[in-house]
Amino acid sequence: MTCAVRESGGGWWCAGVRWPGEVPELGWSRGGRRRVSVLAYGAGLGFRAVGERHCVGARGNVCPLGAAVPGRSTGGRCAECARLDRAHSVAADTMADDPRTYRVYLAWFGPGLVKVGITGEERGAARLREQGAVAFSWLGRGPLMAARRTEEVLRAALGVPDRIPYARKRVERGHLPGADERAAEVAELYARAAALEGRGWPESLERLPLEVVDQVGIFGLGRAPEAESGPVPLPVSAPVRAVRELVDGGVVAGRLVAAAGPDLHLAVTGGGVVVLDTRLITGWDLAAESGSDVRVPLIDIGGGGVQGGLF
């Protein structure tokens, strides 16, 4: 079985990984049209980049300039579209009158690597899967500004950040402790956060009970993937290399063994696992490729060393 990649020439550009449920999907866009390709662990996934990379636009709109963007950009947008997208996001604090209910969450990405954040209640846990949170618990629910205020209180009082670089998440993801240890760290942070009620915690934010959700199984981390014919004999060792950027004619092909947030873990020839941050493939025209081959610049995970050239 091979995960679908749309052929070049049809004008479909990849929009990266999405997590509407517990199964990852690759999104595709052409103008205002949208499509998805469902991904499956154990299946082949391969493509070749064609031409040059273009801005993906903002808020569902095509970039009016059709601007080219750098291959290493994880945003995939030109400066003007990036500004427009940011201006209409929850993080910009320009939606104070938003009537929707929001949830505050505590997310765990590795030992000592935790963060606080907010997401729209109607999205469920999609935001946590998009960020690659290995484990999490809800903390509270309420209006947007109450959720935002709680986020600020936790940052100031507990020293919990609201942002963690993806590079750090990748390093920790390859050395995860057991489920009990993961849950214990989330529970400890929850207890510290709950103790702040009455000390800066907004009255309009309802505290939710501790319920640790572990997503290792959803992401396919640390176990052999399954295929239609049974277990696939592939390595599940920690990946040590990641794609740095795509280039015209560059190939990335392998077998999907795991996915977390925007990252796809691909087993490739030689027995290694390479991480592909799908934010790097947005805006590219992609042609389907089979087999197991990586011929794009790679970088060592955690070490900072670059393996230059095409492989």
Side-chain angles (χ1 to χ4, degrees):
M1 177 181 179
T2 300
C3 298
V5 172
R6 299 189 181 280
E7 297 287 352
S8 67
W12 288 95
W13 288 349
C14 186
V17 167
R18 306 179 181 192
W19 289 91
E22 296 185 353
V23 177
E25 300 176 348
L26 275 181
W28 303 90
S29 65
R30 181 170 66 184
R33 298 176 61 188
R34 301 288 185 270
R35 292 182 180 178
V36 298
S37 300
V38 177
L39 301 179
Y41 301 138
L45 174 65
F47 60 82
R48 171 172 46 86
V50 179
E52 65 177 352
R53 188 185 189 193
H54 291 88
C55 174
V56 297
R59 319 308 295 182
N61 298 306
V62 176
C63 175
L65 303 176
V69 293
R72 299 186 194 180
S73 168
T74 54
R77 293 184 173 90
C78 67
E80 181 60 24
C81 287
R83 182 198 63 77
L84 178 62
D85 188 70
R86 175 73 180 179
H88 290 83
S89 71
V90 172
D93 282 337
T94 58
M95 305 165 63
D97 58 347
D98 190 330
R100 294 174 295 176
T101 299
Y102 282 80
R103 288 199 174 199
V104 183
Y105 61 79
L106 304 173
W108 185 94
F109 299 90
L113 207 61
V114 293
K115 63 159 283 186
V116 58
I118 69 173
T119 185
E121 186 169 67
E122 76 280 358
R123 297 201 67 208
R127 180 62 177 154
L128 283 304
R129 293 187 288 267
E130 290 168 356
Q131 294 186 32
V134 177
F136 74 92
S137 176
W138 301 115
L139 177 65
R141 63 187 297 273
L144 171 60
M145 298 315 291
R148 180 66 74 200
R149 172 60 180 165
T150 303
E151 186 182 42
E152 294 171 353
V153 168
L154 267 60
R155 287 206 309 265
L158 306 181
V160 181
D162 65 344
R163 189 179 300 273
I164 295 175
Y166 277 99
R168 290 194 63 193
K169 298 177 186 178
R170 292 184 190 111
V171 171
E172 297 298 331
R173 197 182 299 149
H175 310 281
L176 296 176
D180 290 345
E181 186 175 337
R182 299 194 292 266
E185 193 163 347
V186 176
E188 189 272 338
L189 178 59
Y190 177 94
R192 294 171 59 204
L196 295 174
E197 279 191 285
R199 293 189 292 150
W201 183 299
E203 294 183 1
S204 56
L205 190 89
E206 171 194 355
R207 181 157 64 92
L208 296 172
L210 171 68
E211 184 177 351
V212 180
V213 178
D214 196 291
Q215 303 197 113
V216 163
I218 293 175
F219 293 154
L221 299 172
R223 63 173 175 78
E226 296 289 325
E228 294 178 1
S229 58
V232 179
L234 293 172
V236 292
S237 58
V240 296
R241 298 174 298 168
V243 173
R244 184 179 67 175
E245 63 181 312
L246 299 189
V247 293
D248 182 22
V251 172
V252 177
R255 193 167 293 274
L256 184 66
V257 295
D263 291 348
L264 301 181
H265 294 207
L266 299 173
V268 299
T269 299
V273 177
V274 172
V275 173
L276 170 65
D277 183 342
T278 57
R279 295 176 301 170
L280 295 174
I281 68 177
T282 59
W284 280 98
D285 195 3
L286 304 177
E289 287 279 344
S290 59
S292 179
D293 192 14
V294 177
R295 288 184 278 121
V296 294
L298 301 175
I299 187 169
D300 294 335
I301 294 177
V306 176
Q307 303 179 14
L310 298 178
F311 288 73

